[in-house]
Amino acid sequence: MPTPLEMQRTFALVGTGGCGKTSLAEMLLFNAGAVSRMGAIEEGTTCLDYEPEEVRRRGSVQPTCATYLWNKNRHFLLDIPGDGNFTGDMECLLMGVDAVVFVLDAVDGVRPLTKKFWSMTRAAGLPALMVINKMDRDRADFQMAFDGLTALGVKPVVLQLPIRQGETLVGMADVLAGRAHMFGPDGATAEADIPAALADDVTLLRDVAIENIAESDEELMEKYLEEGSLSPEDLRTGLRAGVLKGELTPVLACAALENKGGKALLAAIEALLPSPLDRPAFVGADGAERAPDPEAPAACFVFKTLADPFAGQLSLLRVLSGTLSGDMNLKNVRSGEGERLGGLLYLLGKTQTPCKEPVGPGALVAVAKLKNTRTGDTLCDEKAPFTLPMPALPPQLITYALAPKEKGEEDKVYAAMQRLLDEDITLRLGRDEENGDILISGMGQLHIELSVEKAKRRFKVDIVLKTPKVPYRETVRGKCQVQGRHKKQSGGRGQFGDCWIEMEGLPRGSGYIFEDAIVGGVIPRQYIPAIDKGVQEAAARGFLAGCQVVDFRVKVYDGSYHTVDSSEMAFKVAGSLAFKKAMESLKPVLLEPIVLLTVSVPDESMGDVIGDLSSRRGKVLGSDSQGGTTEIKAHVPMSEVLRYAPDLRSMTGGQGFFTMEFDHYEEAPQPVAEKVMAEHQKSRGGE
């Protein structure tokens, strides 16, 4: 029998890298009976981190789904990576769930990335409960982590207070019930009195929790003011109502590696988080609404695409409305094509189990080998079209060039990386029009490196990763007049083209302007475009360092032609020769691209980061500090920040993140220009 939707839960685990989300998922799955033993990240045996790259680096690289039954009710869990290299699609992933279990590290507390992820959770309108994990660690500090919640703007309701003896977690105090639960073997608990040392703390937290619950509902507030207290039933219903409205955030604690707190967390997820029926209607791209109703026309959203070595492409679907079953025909709204669903699959990491029953709203299922469906697509009943809008993805932060280890295999490299784009929508693949390099862009150095590793492993292609050429430009200042004359006679018909041009530099960003000032037919009209083309082709090849010349005007005002020997080709060569002469006269300069860098770091790292930016020739535009995090904006030459991600990680202990976007071009300092020109000459073999 299908699980009643009222008791179904669909949630994501969200938190920064290293806070223990995957271990927490293992604890939930073990306590729910979905796995027979808890895997360990250090041993590479977790259910959810199964890709070779994840096992090797001991951290999640891609989101993973799992489903389990708790009290015979089905829960769907989505484990989202916490490393900033792999969270570019988080907004898309959050569209697949109804709530968030937000995980904090009891040792490190709230980090800069924590605030970013929490903001994304709030922006998605998702209810959340907070779990402070790693309470078994030596330096675990529940109070420190809890105090950090004020920087997130959270209105907390503490449900559990850890009970520690020395450095050992021995139990949890149930704040609302006023009882302790002491841990035994295998996560079992025994009820006991609250330890005297914690009694006052528990009483204070209970009073604050009751006040916060009462304030979230007018009726409860009136009752609280009249009677001075609330019944356990009032607290339960009031707390859940406050969570669903996003006004209250329950706070629990656990030690996932020691399997302490798993059953209490499972109970809280079921008691406090919303069912699919509790969420508001989905709003389509055209403003139309679709309620999460199992009787409504079928619609589902593809929130992730994965590659499976046996099943091929797996599309992970969130059912928005209606009821899905295998062999169902739906329409892909983006492509306009029909898709026939094969068998629906429940996922438990890489383990796939066929669904034996239809699934309704909130279900996370996988379907293999859809023909023309990709991440972000909506599949729906052809008679009732509906499209869930895809959120905007953040800009890629870093670009590298790819090359085959063996010459001649460029197409093989490009094809291998192209196949990765189906499952990773935060990668961008392209070619450099100036030098033909294959370019791969992503969210950080680690993102690029692991993507290349994955392509090598799956598609058996040797790929060399190299830093791409910075897109320098050249320009000119002043004005000059020169002649471009091309005359060649080699038997038979000759070649003749002759033009006079005036060339001058323009303000930055003006681009290229060509003016035809020929009068009296000294150059026939049909040859003028050829002169323009010759100038443009020569400008694309550059003069100083093989970089495109920009921001200049060319006016052709005089010349001559031959009735037999003149041709478009001859005048194109003449235009090119005139351009080169003008460049020699105007003393061109090299321009370097400047990016706007926005860096978020812990306050204590601000000095190191600003000093580092200055050493990179950066100009700090300003900084803003709030809640222990400083945001720094700076203009920095692109060449200085091609490998900024690992350096920032090192300076901030992994706590900093940044965004980068092109801003403008500036004249490069002489040492930089000389180095770029020398490298260009070297690449040409010293010609």
Side-chain angles (χ1 to χ4, degrees):
M1 291 293 292
T3 301
L5 289 179
E6 292 84 356
M7 298 307 296
Q8 183 177 297
R9 301 291 180 262
T10 305
F11 63 94
L13 295 177
V14 176
T16 57
C19 67
K21 295 184 302 298
T22 301
S23 297
L24 188 145
E26 288 287 317
M27 178 179 68
L28 295 180
L29 295 173
F30 175 72
N31 281 278
V35 295
S36 58
R37 61 183 292 272
M38 285 179 59
I41 290 174
E42 289 73 14
E43 299 170 5
T45 56
T46 62
C47 174
L48 301 185
D49 282 355
Y50 56 84
E51 285 282 296
E53 291 79 18
E54 294 177 310
V55 173
R56 179 180 60 79
R57 70 180 296 270
R58 298 181 181 180
S60 300
V61 169
Q62 66 181 22
T64 320
C65 283
T67 183
Y68 60 87
L69 294 176
W70 176 251
N71 293 334
K72 299 183 180 180
N73 299 314
R74 187 165 294 281
H75 293 187
F76 296 95
L77 176 158
L78 178 63
D79 182 18
I80 299 179
D83 188 310
N85 282 274
F86 310 109
T87 57
D89 60 347
M90 185 182 288
E91 288 181 276
C92 183
L93 297 172
L94 292 178
M95 292 174 69
V97 299
D98 297 318
V100 162
V101 173
F102 204 95
V103 186
L104 282 182
D105 188 324
V107 177
D108 293 330
V110 172
R111 311 171 181 179
L113 264 180
T114 307
K115 299 173 185 178
K116 179 180 178 182
F117 294 165
W118 182 252
S119 295
M120 295 169 73
T121 300
R122 296 284 86 177
L126 296 176
L129 61 82
M130 196 78 63
V131 182
I132 298 177
N133 189 22
K134 296 189 177 182
M135 286 306 308
D136 54 325
R137 300 300 171 90
D138 289 346
R139 295 185 295 110
D141 189 336
F142 179 88
Q143 189 63 45
M144 177 274 300
F146 176 72
D147 290 343
L149 299 183
T150 57
L152 304 181
V154 171
K155 194 170 186 180
V157 176
V158 179
L159 300 183
Q160 293 177 319
L161 191 63
I163 302 172
R164 287 161 64 92
Q165 288 182 357
E167 301 298 334
T168 304
L169 180 67
V170 297
M172 294 285 184
D174 184 329
V175 172
L176 293 182
R179 298 291 291 168
H181 298 277
M182 309 306 290
F183 293 120
D186 298 324
T189 58
E191 191 171 308
D193 293 332
I194 299 286
L198 291 180
D200 289 343
D201 292 337
V202 170
T203 298
L204 178 60
L205 288 173
R206 186 174 191 277
D207 291 342
V208 173
I210 292 174
E211 286 182 11
N212 286 342
I213 293 171
E215 289 175 357
S216 68
D217 183 273
E218 288 186 12
E219 291 186 11
L220 288 181
M221 191 64 190
E222 290 180 11
K223 186 174 182 180
Y224 177 67
L225 292 175
E226 290 176 4
E227 301 179 11
S229 64
L230 295 174
S231 68
E233 181 62 25
D234 287 336
L235 292 175
R236 279 192 296 271
T237 57
L239 178 56
R240 186 167 194 271
V243 172
L244 298 194
K245 289 187 290 185
E247 295 179 4
L248 299 177
T249 304
V251 180
L252 296 92
C254 74
L257 283 180
E258 293 187 350
N259 188 24
K260 293 178 178 179
K263 290 182 179 177
L265 180 54
L266 283 166
I269 289 168
E270 187 162 277
L272 299 174
L273 295 186
S275 77
L277 303 180
D278 291 319
R279 69 172 299 148
F282 295 95
V283 180
D286 58 357
E289 294 188 349
R290 179 66 63 89
D293 180 357
E295 303 301 324
C300 54
F301 176 70
V302 183
F303 64 88
K304 185 66 181 177
T305 304
L306 296 176
D308 183 86
F310 305 107
Q313 179 175 295
L314 280 181
S315 298
L316 273 55
L317 313 178
R318 151 70 191 234
V319 183
L320 306 175
S321 64
T323 303
L324 292 194
S325 58
D327 297 327
M328 196 173 194
N329 290 308
L330 296 176
K331 180 180 179 180
N332 184 317
V333 182
R334 174 190 57 81
S335 68
E337 298 181 8
E339 291 279 17
R340 183 175 180 82
L341 305 185
L344 304 181
L345 302 169
Y346 285 139
L347 296 182
L348 186 65
K350 64 180 178 180
T351 304
Q352 302 164 10
T353 305
C355 299
K356 297 180 180 179
E357 70 277 337
V359 295
L364 303 185
V365 293
V367 179
K369 299 178 181 177
L370 295 180
K371 293 182 300 182
N372 190 28
T373 294
R374 63 194 188 199
T375 302
D377 285 351
T378 304
L379 304 177
C380 64
D381 188 320
E382 187 172 6
K383 297 179 181 178
F386 178 79
T387 305
L388 197 62
M390 176 76 172
L393 296 173
Q396 285 70 36
L397 300 179
I398 194 167
T399 299
Y400 283 83
L402 304 177
K405 198 168 186 180
E406 301 291 335
K407 285 188 175 181
E409 294 191 343
E410 285 81 4
D411 289 344
K412 188 176 180 181
V413 168
Y414 193 91
M417 297 306 299
Q418 182 72 41
R419 293 176 68 179
L420 286 186
L421 304 190
D422 293 334
E423 60 182 282
D424 190 344
I425 58 176
T426 62
L427 284 175
R428 286 289 179 273
L429 189 64
R431 289 187 184 272
D432 189 324
E433 295 180 0
E434 295 181 25
N435 54 48
D437 281 346
I438 300 172
L439 301 179
I440 186 74
S441 302
M443 307 310 296
Q445 182 177 351
L446 184 60
H447 183 208
I448 300 294
E449 290 174 349
L450 291 188
S451 297
V452 169
E453 279 186 30
K454 192 181 293 185
K456 288 180 180 178
R457 172 174 57 83
R458 289 186 184 172
F459 309 118
K460 312 303 180 190
V461 58
D462 284 328
I463 302 174
V464 177
L465 193 63
K466 57 181 183 178
T467 304
K469 292 182 179 178
V470 175
Y472 291 103
R473 295 288 182 262
E474 300 173 24
T475 194
V476 293
R477 292 174 294 199
K479 181 191 297 186
C480 73
Q481 294 178 336
V482 295
Q483 180 186 25
R485 181 179 174 89
H486 175 59
K487 183 178 180 180
K488 188 173 183 182
Q489 194 73 41
S490 56
R493 181 177 176 178
Q495 298 178 33
F496 182 83
D498 176 31
C499 65
W500 280 85
I501 68 170
E502 180 180 273
M503 180 166 161
E504 67 174 328
L506 296 176
R508 200 81 67 243
S510 299
Y512 165 66
I513 298 174
F514 180 82
E515 294 180 11
D516 173 10
I518 293 295
V519 293
V522 292
I523 298 177
R525 189 65 48 203
Q526 68 266 28
Y527 298 145
I528 303 299
I531 299 172
D532 182 13
K533 188 173 183 180
V535 170
Q536 289 194 53
E537 289 184 359
R541 292 190 293 270
F543 181 79
L544 293 174
C547 307
Q548 184 176 351
V549 182
V550 296
D551 301 334
F552 67 99
R553 179 181 65 86
V554 164
K555 179 171 72 174
V556 57
Y557 64 91
D558 200 0
S560 61
Y561 74 102
H562 190 280
T563 54
V564 176
D565 293 345
S566 288
S567 64
E568 289 187 8
M569 177 58 69
F571 272 97
K572 189 171 88 166
V573 174
S576 174
L577 292 173
F579 173 83
K580 290 177 182 176
K581 281 188 178 180
M583 291 295 287
E584 292 173 357
S585 299
L586 293 175
K587 297 181 181 178
V589 295
L590 192 74
L591 301 176
E592 63 177 348
I594 305 297
V595 299
L596 175 63
L597 199 67
T598 303
V599 194
S600 293
V601 299
D603 286 348
E604 58 269 22
S605 302
M606 181 183 70
D608 291 340
V609 171
I610 289 179
D612 177 73
L613 291 175
S614 297
S615 73
R616 298 172 188 265
R617 299 188 286 123
K619 299 174 184 175
V620 175
L621 305 177
S623 63
D624 180 41
S625 182
Q626 187 174 6
T629 299
T630 298
E631 182 180 271
I632 304 162
K633 290 184 180 292
H635 281 151
V636 192
M638 182 185 290
S639 61
E640 301 285 351
V641 288
L642 288 176
R643 295 178 179 269
Y644 187 58
D647 295 337
L648 180 64
R649 190 180 305 118
S650 176
M651 280 185 288
T652 63
Q655 305 304 304
F657 66 94
F658 71 97
T659 59
M660 180 171 64
E661 58 184 293
F662 170 76
D663 196 82
H664 64 281
Y665 274 96
E666 285 183 5
E667 184 174 337
Q670 189 63 28
V672 173
E674 289 175 354
K675 181 180 178 183
V676 173
M677 287 187 284
E679 289 175 351
H680 174 63
Q681 290 299 322
K682 184 179 179 181
S683 69
R684 297 179 60 207
E687 295 178 12

